[in-house]
Amino acid sequence: MSAPDTNVEKQKKQHKPALIGIRGAMLFALVLLLGLIGWVASQGQTPVDPDVKIDGRTGEEVVVE
């Protein structure tokens, strides 16, 4: 059951700082998520050469310098 004499405008005023903080945190999280997606997308296409490769013909390790 809800309170019979709820003043919505008064409640809106009293909760305004908390709501602004929640919106700010959500915006900050969205910016971080977009940054992570961008970073992963840019780093994901870079081939990485290992220091040691396996020669397919002999099966021996070949050190890359």
Side-chain angles (χ1 to χ4, degrees), residues 1-57:
M1 301 205 31
S2 62
D5 58 347
T6 302
N7 185 347
V8 178
E9 292 303 316
K10 184 178 177 185
Q11 293 295 320
K12 195 185 294 186
K13 245 189 221 183
Q14 289 178 343
H15 291 91
K16 191 172 186 173
L19 293 173
I20 289 172
I22 291 169
R23 286 186 189 117
M26 289 174 59
L27 181 62
F28 181 68
L30 179 64
V31 168
L32 287 179
L33 179 63
L34 292 175
L36 176 65
I37 290 171
W39 180 75
V40 168
S42 69
Q43 297 295 317
Q45 299 300 318
T46 306
V48 178
D49 288 329
D51 294 334
V52 177
K53 293 184 179 183
I54 305 297
D55 189 350
R57 298 171 291 151

